[in-house]
């Protein structure tokens, strides 16, 4: 990765490392995806992808599970290890993911986020996403709205540009 020789971003192949991804997911969300849900994603590689960001020692720092459906990138879940947040890792991971999705034919991206998740909303807005719809009371524990965000310029983002 440019400027970060101690970090690597790759697409997960097979279920190796899935336990640590599921643990990071569980530590990050009130209603996490289970290991089986993540494994099911990996069994459909034509659509589903899981990207991991690791440090020089191979430790998982962040991951993102997504789908590429025709020309759309759907970001399903993204997590950064708690002690590694606010370092730009999610931005780095997403920029690589966007570039790969654009290469695969995606020209727009969508995701959903809790209304109260200000850090995630700021991240996504900084990457060109905007709120297009609201799903009232979509989330539980606690109950709150889900915001549906879109970025219609996915193919125009440069993966090597700093946030």
């Amino acid at each position: 990765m440019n400027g970060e020789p101690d970090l690597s971003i790759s697409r997960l192949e097979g279920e190796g490392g899935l336990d640590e991804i599921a643990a990071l997911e569980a530590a990050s969300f009130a209603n996490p995806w289970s290991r089986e849900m993540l494994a099911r994603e990996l069994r459909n590689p034509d659509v589903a992808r899981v990207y991991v960001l690791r440090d020089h020692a191979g430790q998982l720092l962040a991951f993102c599970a997504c789908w590429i459906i025709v020309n759309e990138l759907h970001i399903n879940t993204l997590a950064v290890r708690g002690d590694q947040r606010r370092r730009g890792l999610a931005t780095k991971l997403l920029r690589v993911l966007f570039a790969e999705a654009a290469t695969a034919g995606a020209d727009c991206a969508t995701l959903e986020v809790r209304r109260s998740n200000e850090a995630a909303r700021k991240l996504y807005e900084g990457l060109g996403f905007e709120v297009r719809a609201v799903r009232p009371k979509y989330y539980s524990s606690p109950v709150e709205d889900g915001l549906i965000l879109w970025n219609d310029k996915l193919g125009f983002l440069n993966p090597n540009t700093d946030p």
Side-chain angles (χ1 to χ4, degrees), residues 67 69 71-75 91 94-95 97-99 101-102 105-113 120-133 147-159:
W67 298 332
I69 303 172
N71 70 318
E72 297 177 353
L73 169 65
H74 293 251
I75 298 170
T91 299
L94 287 171
R95 287 190 181 279
L97 173 57
F98 294 165
D107 58 15
C108 60
T110 187
L111 58 90
E112 190 169 72
V113 65
R121 289 176 60 190
K122 183 177 178 183
L123 165 71
Y124 297 129
E125 288 167 7
L127 290 168
F129 285 83
E130 54 188 43
V131 176
R132 297 274 178 86
L147 303 179
I148 301 171
L149 283 64
W150 279 90
N151 177 327
D152 293 326
K153 297 179 181 145
L154 188 64
F156 298 103
L157 295 175
N158 182 343

Side-chain angles (χ1 to χ4, degrees), residues 1-9 54-57 92:
M1 240 171 53
N2 290 345
E4 295 282 354
D6 58 333
L7 300 176
S8 68
I9 296 173
R54 297 182 181 279
D55 67 11
H56 69 283
K92 290 177 189 336

Side-chain angles (χ1 to χ4, degrees), residues 30-96:
N31 300 306
W33 286 36
S34 68
R35 184 192 189 287
E36 180 50 37
M37 291 169 74
L38 292 162
R40 193 169 40 242
E41 292 294 298
L42 291 170
R43 289 192 287 269
N44 189 11
D46 291 341
V47 172
R49 298 173 180 215
V50 176
Y51 288 86
V52 294
L53 186 151
R54 297 182 181 279
D55 67 11
H56 69 283
Q59 293 211 21
L60 179 69
L61 303 181
F63 83 94
C64 182
C66 62
W67 298 332
I68 298 176
I69 303 172
V70 188
N71 70 318
E72 297 177 353
L73 169 65
H74 293 251
I75 298 170
N76 297 322
T77 186
L78 169 70
V80 177
R81 205 169 81 189
D83 64 342
Q84 298 296 313
R85 293 182 182 148
R86 307 260 190 259
R87 292 185 47 215
L89 298 179
T91 299
K92 290 177 189 336
L93 177 58
L94 287 171
R95 287 190 181 279
V96 169

